[in-house]
């Protein structure tokens, strides 16, 4: 004879800082026990345990359907207590907005803690939500630290915005002259000279002694300070600036300490497939820790695209406002959605910049996007998305990242099969186009669009049929100057400096910028270099034209020769 089905009793909790409200509903949606409020204390949890014991004695075959309205972190202790109960129970932790919507739909004229816990109990009995997996203790600590670091990062952003607002009245000319107010040299400058009057009266040598503050930049800032239109001056303004700088520095130091704690908590986690994330070039321990803290288990995500959507790494239109030069954003301008997790997005941005230099798959993607005319930040957004696809692949399959032969290339032997080549097909195509069958390789990006010069003693490869015979690169370089190339790129007027050395924004990864200084060119030697980690471009005038125009070297030589009417062969 079959045993009867267990009686389902819905238990709903509305959580708060100092205590919680609980309601009990039977399968007929009538109260199964008296609702009550209990404190976040041993006595309060003892009272809750007594309520469960009484229901268990009354109904020997009972299944508790528990629903928790998790507002903030107030439900952490309650969830741990409920999971330790020796009863047959299903526990689901709901999102506050989802619970509020359900409560308004069924109890539109009532709003109280008792009503919200009653709505949770009803949801548990009627809807039977899927149980929420338990977060292991080590992962719970990691998530706690990640939340603290994220909150500290938001605090730093708030303080930087406050500093920016004060400078808008005390020294408005400074912000457009610096890449970021959070830079260490900017904060050191403002701590020592907290206003335009102090900067204008300082010795140039004293300004230049600040690390990373160049003489050209110091002269420009000092000149702006002498002709400022600031409305807030004097001791009051300087005191406010000093206070803001001090607060920003303290917040940055706190964030660094939390980052170290996060890494230590990540190192203390038990072995598992999540460790494969660190095999992806570009992803360091802090980025891996942030990803694991927020994802906890890869089983929560069915596809790589669900991970991308979870972290908000997708484009949105952004055509409102103006840039630092006062120009409106052009139509069709896009940016990464601001809906994702702040900590993970910041870590992924830095990881993507590193991966463009050290991860052949991501670097190939970055170069393809730049060759298509995408801005540097937009191309980095694609790289962030690619990294999430790789994270999904290596974690899902528990296989380390190995660049596919098409990217690792070089004719030095193919690497062993790894997550990049094989795991992506198994895990849903990390980075592959939609509709591509699993039998095809998901990622086979081409190498850099700028081929290396042929080695001595080896015959040069035949030129592409589209560009005709191979150009004489050395002869063309002798006939073309760096100034000619920069003027042809309409970039000459954006560079500053005197003599042979010029500095300014990079024409390769900063096409919309007028304020950067990562790009350096030596006019007499005809060589350039970008010191930005996300770009790192360097070479001669032909390399510059090829990278800026998104062309192969042979095509670039042909194109440049035609434009400047010089012989390229």
């Amino acid at each position: 004879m079959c045993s009867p089905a267990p009686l389902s009793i819905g238990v709903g909790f509305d959580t708060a800082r100092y205590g919680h409200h609980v309601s009990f509903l039977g399968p007929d949606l009538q109260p199964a026990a008296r609702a009550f409020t209990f404190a976040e204390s041993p006595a309060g949890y003892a009272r809750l345990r007594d309520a469960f014991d009484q229901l268990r004695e009354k109904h020997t075959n009972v299944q508790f359907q528990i629903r928790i309205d998790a507002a903030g972190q107030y439900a952490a202790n309650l969830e741990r207590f409920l999971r330790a109960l020796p009863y047959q129970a299903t526990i689901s932790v709901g999102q506050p907005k989802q619970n509020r919507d359900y409560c308004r739909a069924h109890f539109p004229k009532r709003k109280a803690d008792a009503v919200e816990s009653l709505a949770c109990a009803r949801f548990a009995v009627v809807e039977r939500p899927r149980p929420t997996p338990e977060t292991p203790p080590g992962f719970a600590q990691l998530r706690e630290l990640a939340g603290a670091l994220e909150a500290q990062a938001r605090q730093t952003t708030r303080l930087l915005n406050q500093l920016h607002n004060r400078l808008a009245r005390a020294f408005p000319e400074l912000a457009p002259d610096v890449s970021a107010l959070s830079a260490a040299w900017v904060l050191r400058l403002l701590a020592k000279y907290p206003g335009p009057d102090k900067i204008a009266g300082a010795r140039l040598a004293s300004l230049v002694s600040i690390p990373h503050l160049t003489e050209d930049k110091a002269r420009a800032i000092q000149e702006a300070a002498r002709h400022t239109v600031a409305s807030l001056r004097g001791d009051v303004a300087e005191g406010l600036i000093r206070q803001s700088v001090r607060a920003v520095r303290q917040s940055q130091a706190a964030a660094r300490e939390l980052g170290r704690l996060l890494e230590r908590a990540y190192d203390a986690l038990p072995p598992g497939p999540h460790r494969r994330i660190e095999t992806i070039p570009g992803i360091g321990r802090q980025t891996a820790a942030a990803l694991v803290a927020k994802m906890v288990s890869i089983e929560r995500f069915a596809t790589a695209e669900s991970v991308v959507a979870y972290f908000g790494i997708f484009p949105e239109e952004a055509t409102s406002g103006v840039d630092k030069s006062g120009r409106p954003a052009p139509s069709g301008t896009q940016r990464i959605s601001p809906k994702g997790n702040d900590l993970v997005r910041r870590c992924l941005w830095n990881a993507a910049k590193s991966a463009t230099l050290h991860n052949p798959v991501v670097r190939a993607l970055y170069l393809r996007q730049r060759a298509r005319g995408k801005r540097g930040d937009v191309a980095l957004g694609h790289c962030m998305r690619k990294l999430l696809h790789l994270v999904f692949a290596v974690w899902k399959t528990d296989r380390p990242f190995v660049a596919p032969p098409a990217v690792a290339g070089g004719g030095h032997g193919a690497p062993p099969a790894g997550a990049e080549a094989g795991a992506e097909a198994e895990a849903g195509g990390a980075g592959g186009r939609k509709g591509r069958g699993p039998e095809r390789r998901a990622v086979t990006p081409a190498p850099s669009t700028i081929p290396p010069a042929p080695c001595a003693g080896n015959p040069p490869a035949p030129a592409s049929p589209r560009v005709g015979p191979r150009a004489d690169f050395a002869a063309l370089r002798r006939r073309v100057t760096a100034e000619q190339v920069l003027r042809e790129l309409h970039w000459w007027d954006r560079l500053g400096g005197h003599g042979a050395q010029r500095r300014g924004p990079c024409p390769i990864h900063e096409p919309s910028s007028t304020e950067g200084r990562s790009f350096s060119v030596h006019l007499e030697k005809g060589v350039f270099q970008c010191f930005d980690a996300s770009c790192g471009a360097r070479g001669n005038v032909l390399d510059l034209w090829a990278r800026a125009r998104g062309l192969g070297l042979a095509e670039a030589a042909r194109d440049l020769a035609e434009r400047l009417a010089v012989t390229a062969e």
Side-chain angles (χ1 to χ4, degrees):
M1 183 175 179
C2 297
S3 59
L7 177 70
S8 291
I9 293 182
V11 185
F13 290 91
D14 180 69
T15 60
R17 183 187 300 272
Y18 301 114
H20 318 294
H21 194 279
V22 59
S23 295
F24 303 90
L25 281 184
D28 57 354
L29 301 184
Q30 297 301 312
R34 187 173 62 85
F36 61 89
T37 298
F38 62 97
E40 179 81 355
S41 67
Y45 281 107
R47 184 182 180 188
L48 178 62
R49 175 66 181 265
D50 289 341
F52 276 101
D53 289 343
Q54 292 173 15
L55 284 170
R56 181 67 178 81
E57 292 175 1
K58 184 177 181 181
H59 308 283
T60 56
N61 189 15
V62 62
Q63 165 82 33
F64 292 108
Q65 303 287 341
I66 301 174
R67 177 73 169 180
I68 304 174
D69 180 14
Q73 299 298 317
Y74 305 143
N77 297 333
L78 174 62
E79 181 183 354
R80 182 180 179 184
F81 172 83
L82 293 172
R83 291 191 184 278
L85 290 175
Y87 303 129
Q88 188 177 359
T90 297
I91 300 175
S92 67
V93 182
Q95 298 297 326
K97 183 180 185 306
Q98 182 185 26
N99 293 337
R100 285 196 301 270
D101 292 344
Y102 189 85
C103 184
R104 280 196 295 266
H106 294 279
F107 306 98
K109 297 182 179 179
R110 302 169 62 191
K111 177 171 176 55
D113 292 347
V115 176
E116 292 175 3
S117 67
L118 182 63
C120 286
R122 189 183 194 281
F123 185 88
V125 172
V126 176
E127 304 298 335
R128 297 292 182 91
R130 296 177 59 184
T132 300
E134 182 179 5
T135 302
F139 288 84
Q141 291 183 6
L142 188 69
R143 174 169 281 188
E144 190 78 20
L145 280 169
L149 181 56
E150 184 180 1
Q152 192 65 50
R154 286 197 295 267
Q155 171 73 353
T156 303
T157 301
R158 186 186 69 80
L159 293 172
L160 284 169
N161 288 337
Q162 183 185 74
L163 175 59
H164 201 294
N165 291 336
R166 288 175 176 175
L167 285 173
R169 296 181 296 280
F171 190 10
E173 296 82 4
L174 178 64
D177 270 345
V178 300
S179 57
L181 289 180
S182 59
W185 73 266
V186 178
L187 296 175
R188 186 168 180 175
L189 170 69
L190 291 174
K192 191 173 183 179
Y193 305 104
D197 296 333
K198 289 286 195 298
I199 293 176
R203 293 185 298 110
L204 182 61
S206 181
L207 295 177
V208 175
S209 66
I210 296 175
H212 306 295
L213 179 55
T214 64
E215 182 175 344
D216 290 344
K217 179 62 71 176
R219 289 182 186 276
I221 292 175
Q222 198 167 44
E223 185 65 20
R226 293 185 180 119
H227 301 90
T228 182
V229 296
S231 59
L232 184 63
R233 309 284 283 268
D235 294 340
V236 171
E238 292 176 3
L240 289 172
I241 296 300
R242 278 199 178 96
Q243 185 274 331
S244 285
V245 170
R246 185 165 53 250
V248 169
R249 282 177 151 181
Q250 290 173 349
S251 185
Q252 289 177 334
R256 288 192 293 270
E257 176 60 25
L258 285 171
R260 289 189 287 268
L261 289 174
L262 183 72
E263 292 180 8
R264 287 204 290 269
Y266 174 75
D267 292 339
L269 291 178
H274 60 276
R275 294 288 184 187
R276 301 295 192 183
I277 296 176
E278 294 179 83
T279 66
I280 302 173
I283 292 186
R285 287 166 59 229
Q286 190 166 133
T287 302
L291 287 166
V292 172
K294 295 302 178 182
M295 296 171 68
V296 180
S297 172
I298 197 62
E299 301 307 321
R300 296 173 55 201
F301 305 92
T303 65
E305 281 303 319
S306 62
V307 180
V308 172
Y310 180 71
F311 289 119
I313 310 300
F314 51 83
E316 285 187 352
E317 184 176 0
T319 55
S320 62
V322 296
D323 63 14
K324 291 195 294 187
S325 301
R327 297 174 299 188
S331 177
T333 299
Q334 292 186 329
R335 67 175 181 185
I336 297 177
S337 169
K339 300 174 183 176
N341 179 267
D342 290 342
L343 173 63
V344 172
R345 289 157 60 85
R346 177 170 58 84
C347 290
L348 278 177
W349 176 265
N350 292 328
K353 292 171 70 174
S354 175
T356 58
L357 298 177
H358 305 294
N359 188 318
V361 174
V362 176
R363 178 165 178 78
L365 172 63
Y366 181 81
L367 292 175
R368 288 200 304 274
Q369 294 297 325
R370 297 293 291 137
R372 293 170 186 167
K374 298 293 181 67
R375 295 197 321 267
D377 59 333
V378 175
L380 280 175
H382 285 274
C383 296
M384 293 167 66
R385 178 180 176 274
K386 181 64 177 177
L387 284 175
L388 287 180
H389 276 251
L390 298 178
V391 166
F392 179 85
V394 300
W395 193 346
K396 191 79 169 180
T397 60
D398 193 12
R399 298 169 64 185
F401 171 89
V402 178
V407 179
H412 300 291
E420 170 58 24
E424 289 191 359
E426 181 180 339
R433 293 186 177 90
K434 292 182 179 179
R436 177 177 294 182
E439 73 280 3
R440 298 180 61 185
R441 186 184 299 278
V443 179
T444 55
S448 169
T449 56
I450 304 178
C455 299
N458 293 335
S464 168
R466 293 182 293 121
V467 297
R470 172 173 287 275
D472 186 342
F473 298 144
L476 185 59
R477 287 199 301 267
R478 288 194 296 269
R479 294 183 177 93
V480 176
T481 66
E483 181 177 347
Q484 286 178 299
V485 172
L486 291 165
R487 289 190 182 279
E488 194 66 24
L489 290 172
H490 304 290
W491 210 258
W492 177 256
D493 294 333
R494 301 193 188 192
L495 303 180
H498 304 282
Q501 196 77 36
R502 302 299 173 97
R503 295 288 295 269
C506 179
I508 298 170
H509 82 279
E510 297 178 293
S512 61
S513 174
T514 59
E515 307 298 337
R517 286 184 54 81
S518 64
F519 178 79
S520 174
V521 60
H522 197 286
L523 302 179
E524 294 178 357
K525 297 180 181 178
V527 295
F528 77 96
Q529 182 173 357
C530 178
F531 295 95
D532 191 288
S534 67
C535 180
R538 60 188 303 173
N540 55 47
V541 291
L542 294 186
D543 297 319
L544 174 59
W545 184 260
R547 292 293 296 272
R549 306 293 295 183
L551 302 173
L553 196 59
E555 290 177 295
R558 290 286 185 194
D559 184 49
L560 188 59
E562 292 175 3
R563 288 173 176 269
L564 299 179
V566 297
T567 302
E569 298 177 6

